[in-house]
Amino acid sequence: MDQYCILGRIGEGAHGIVFKAKHVETGEIVALKKVALRRLEDGFPNQALREIKALQEMEDNQYVVQLKAVFPHGGGFVLAFEFMLSDLAEVVRHAQRPLAQAQVKSYLQMLLKGVAFCHANNIVHRDLKPANLLISASGQLKIADFGLARVFSPDGSRLYTHQVATR
Ligand code: ADP
Ligand code: MG
């Protein structure tokens, strides 16, 4: 954590607080997500571990947010991600008028490519919604927040909890 200088708070979701920060040595701007470790004693992988595992199991893809580093911090973990300007919920909220059809198509295409990539890597996201779709300064969409993600087995031999989904 000493390697980073916190520049401000970006967001807060259900599972963690996200800060904008600068790597002191390289000057790189990142998003730091602090996640607490809970329910470890019952032996189930908790949300933080799920997120780390899902992201680490995937190779880099331009439609999935890049995890740059993970380190333990205060009984939990800090995940360092590439910094993104905004998320789709904010973009829609601050738009003066409804997004143009071409813009919607472009976001949808990037979303579908990202989802296809996750599925090709046997990861189901299970929490796709505008706040979890990050938008870069150049308008690129990337899927983020793998806190509810799971590895699935293509042969259907695993059992999954039902009703875990976001519309
Ligand atoms: P939670 O599990 O708490 O929902 P998220 O990973 O969805 O956490 O992050 C919460 C919010 O923080 C996002 O909706 C987004 O606005 C912001 N955020 C998350 N990651 C980044 C990032 N890499 N760059 C910029 N903002 C981010
Ligand atoms: Mg989220």
Side-chain angles (χ1 to χ4, degrees):
M1 200 64 194
D2 300 343
Q3 294 179 314
Y4 295 94
C5 159
I6 304 279
L7 301 176
R9 197 165 158 147
I10 313 172
E12 184 168 359
H15 327 115
I17 305 174
V18 182
F19 295 96
K20 181 176 181 178
K22 187 169 147 181
H23 193 275
V24 177
E25 270 171 37
T26 63
E28 186 181 33
I29 302 291
V30 294
L32 296 181
K33 181 174 177 179
K34 288 189 183 181
V35 281
L37 274 190
R38 272 168 279 130
R39 295 192 299 127
L40 260 192
E41 60 284 356
D42 63 12
F44 279 90
N46 100 343
Q47 230 132 15
L49 296 180
R50 261 188 189 157
E51 178 159 13
I52 296 165
K53 189 160 179 283
L55 285 162
Q56 284 183 335
E57 279 189 6
M58 282 191 289
E59 302 155 38
D60 278 353
N61 180 271
Q62 57 175 321
Y63 306 112
V64 173
V65 72
Q66 193 193 352
L67 178 65
K68 291 177 172 288
V70 183
F71 46 91
H73 178 73
F77 281 98
V78 173
L79 283 68
F81 292 101
E82 64 179 306
F83 178 75
M84 301 282 285
L85 188 67
S86 187
D87 62 56
L88 192 56
E90 243 178 85
V91 169
V92 169
R93 202 178 311 126
H94 294 138
Q96 305 290 346
R97 55 185 74 86
L99 299 184
Q101 201 179 51
Q103 185 70 75
V104 174
K105 281 187 182 174
S106 155
Y107 284 145
L108 186 60
Q109 192 178 51
M110 293 186 272
L111 169 60
L112 292 174
K113 284 180 178 169
V115 171
F117 178 78
C118 294
H119 292 182
N121 282 274
N122 294 340
I123 305 279
V124 270
H125 185 281
R126 308 199 299 182
D127 197 15
L128 292 172
K129 59 182 181 181
N132 290 338
L133 303 174
L134 305 181
I135 308 293
S136 76
S138 60
Q140 172 108 356
L141 178 148
K142 299 189 187 210
I143 299 176
D145 194 356
F146 284 73
L148 284 180
R150 269 208 59 170
V151 176
F152 69 89
S153 58
D155 60 10
S157 60
R158 283 192 199 209
L159 285 175
Y160 306 103
T161 314
H162 55 220
Q163 293 180 343
V164 178
T166 299
R167 278 187 207 164

